[in-house]
Each structure stands twice: as C-alpha cells, then as structure tokens.
Amino acid sequence: MKIGFIGVGNIGAPIAGQLLKAGHALVVHDIRPEAASALLAAGAAWSSSPAALAAQCEAVATCLPGPAEMEEVCLGPSDLVAHLRSGGLYLDHTTNSPELVRRIHGMLAERGVAMLDAPVSGGMEGAETRDLLVMAGGEPAIFERARPLLDAIAKRVIYTGGIGTGSIAKIMHNSASFTLDLVMAECWTAGVKAGIDAATIVNVFNEAALGQMMSLKVRLPATWLRGDFDPRFSLGLARKDLGLAQELARATNTPMRLGALCEAEMIEAIERGWADRDASIFLTLQEERAKVQVRLPPT
C-alpha cells in the first residue's frame, strides 16, 4: 500500500520505519522536517502538508503528541478530514481523547473514510523493535482490513471494541501505571528513611508478588473480577499490613497519601463486616461509587 504517516517523532518515526520494512510505500509529514531525515534516507517520500499527503495515499496514519495536535491536523488549516480519499483508511496512533476520536470518526464516516483509533504501548524502544501492543477500536470489518498494517508495526494487537475504545484502554492503562509509580515511590521513600538500602527494597519489589504481577494476572482475576470473595488472604490481615506501613511512614515523617487513602477504604469495608472476606472485597466500594461492576466472563 501507499501509506501516509503524519508525526514522525520519537515513537512515530520508528513505527513508520516498520511500515517501510514491511514493503509499503511511505509518504511522511511532520512540523519539523528534520525529524523525517532518517525515513527519507531509507526510501520514504516527503509531503509538504497533511492535505497533500492525504490526496496521494490509500491509508493515512497519525502519531501525534495529543488531542490538540490531532485536532489541528484533522480540522485545522490543512484539514486532513476534508482531503482523505473516500474509501480510504485512517489510523490514529495518538494517545487521544475518546470524545475527539468519535467526533472525527463521525465526520469521516460521512465522507466514506474508515477509521480506527489505535494507540500503542511500548514506547520508543518498543517501536524500534516492533515490541509494541496496539489497542485498536472501530468496526470489526475495518479492524480486519487494517490488521496487516497493525501487524507490521506491532507484535501484539488487541481489538478493543467500538471506535474510541482503543483510546480508553490506553489512557486508563497509563493512569494505572503512573499511579503505581507514585505508590512505589511512597513505599520506597518510607523504606529508605526507615533504614533499608534502596537497591535492596527495589530488588524485593521485583522478586515478590508485585514484580511478578500476581494481582493483575492471578489474584484479582480469581477473586474480585469473578465476584468470588472466599478468603485467600483476608481483608483484616491486609489492613493490618497496610496499617503497619502507615505506622512506619508516620515514624519516619514520610507522607504516604495514596497508602492512607487505601487504608481508609479498607477500614470502611471492615466496618461493613467484611474483615474475614478476601482482601479484594474492599475494591467493591469503588464499584458502588462508580455504579458499575467490573467482571470477567465465566471460564
């Protein structure tokens, strides 16, 4: 295929490079022409604008810093939306706003242009080695049509559902990742102030249940995500452990705000009489407030 690629920064450039390696003809554009130099040397062609690029390509992909830049490219002076070919394909790899994605999708549908929102996870290093995950939202038939292009840039591709769900998956994943970083920072600073060596506590985290992703891969799928709260590890014991951590934080004058919030949630759950249930039952308080349950299908 002849593919247009807009946004060839740290992640976009290696993604575009994978399309070249797969044998596709590539036309690129970026607000910084120098960012495309390696791609041009590898055989890509340059386009002076998104509009000119769209007019000559069967498929167009964008990989931009965020919603503001994607909206500017799609609806700004270059008006990518107005220049994409009827019958063409548009892939947005931007970590984006689901609302904006759905708005652009509606405009493109009126013009006969297919669209997927397909953000990626794996960073620059993953893009360079194709060790990426693509989270693709859109109509199933469009996903299948785009699958060869997605497989060319990523080793793992997940269909997430309707348009916008790729963006939902990506931003929620990143939110959890960044919040976990802060929780670990809370625990490591308290631990180091209390007297443990930094390299040692980081190694413990890597080798223990957290580093093995036991909650994500084993414990929560067997308990909360199935609605099964027969105790594997009781809420009372979990709250005891978290209380000891908070006690150590106070003794070392170390703030642990997320830890304190978690402890408060556990205390509320215990006050409901759940101390002897599985520790994961306290997560149902979040479901109550959100007015939604998160459950996996039966195995």
Side-chain angles (χ1 to χ4, degrees), residues 1-8 12-13 15-17 19-20 23-30 36 39-40 42-63 80 85:
M1 294 180 68
K2 191 172 187 180
I3 302 169
F5 205 101
I6 301 169
V8 289
I15 289 177
L19 294 170
L20 270 179
H24 298 288
L26 190 68
V27 183
V28 297
H29 175 79
D30 195 281
L39 289 167
L40 298 180
W46 173 258
S47 177
S48 59
S49 71
L53 177 148
Q56 57 183 305
C57 295
E58 303 164 67
V60 173
T62 49
C63 188
L80 178 67
R85 294 179 178 181

Side-chain angles (χ1 to χ4, degrees), residues 63 67 140 194 209 226 264 272 293:
C63 188
R226 305 283 180 195
R272 295 194 182 195
Q293 280 193 329

Side-chain angles (χ1 to χ4, degrees), residues 9 16 40 112 141-142 182 219:
L40 298 180
I142 296 171
L182 180 55
R219 191 175 65 82

Side-chain angles (χ1 to χ4, degrees), residues 54-130:
Q56 57 183 305
C57 295
E58 303 164 67
V60 173
T62 49
C63 188
L64 300 162
E69 293 82 4
M70 185 264 202
E71 185 172 21
E72 175 69 15
V73 166
C74 285
L75 303 177
S78 291
D79 202 356
L80 178 67
V81 166
H83 291 87
L84 287 164
R85 294 179 178 181
S86 178
L89 176 64
Y90 173 49
L91 306 175
D92 181 38
H93 299 303
T94 307
T95 299
N96 213 337
S97 157
E99 181 181 0
L100 176 60
V101 164
R102 288 165 175 163
R103 179 156 62 95
I104 298 296
H105 172 263
M107 298 171 72
L108 290 175
E110 293 177 356
R111 298 180 50 80
V113 179
M115 178 183 177
L116 293 180
D117 66 313
V120 303
S121 180
M124 180 178 69
E125 298 83 2
E128 290 171 347
T129 60
R130 207 172 64 82

Side-chain angles (χ1 to χ4, degrees), residues 276-293:
D276 295 328
R277 308 296 300 281
D278 188 79
S280 64
I281 197 170
F282 87 99
L283 302 174
T284 63
L285 299 177
Q286 169 64 18
E287 290 181 316
E288 285 184 19
R289 298 183 189 107
K291 296 181 174 59
V292 67
Q293 280 193 329

Side-chain angles (χ1 to χ4, degrees), residues 165 168 184 238 277:
T165 59
I168 292 169
M184 289 191 293
R277 308 296 300 281

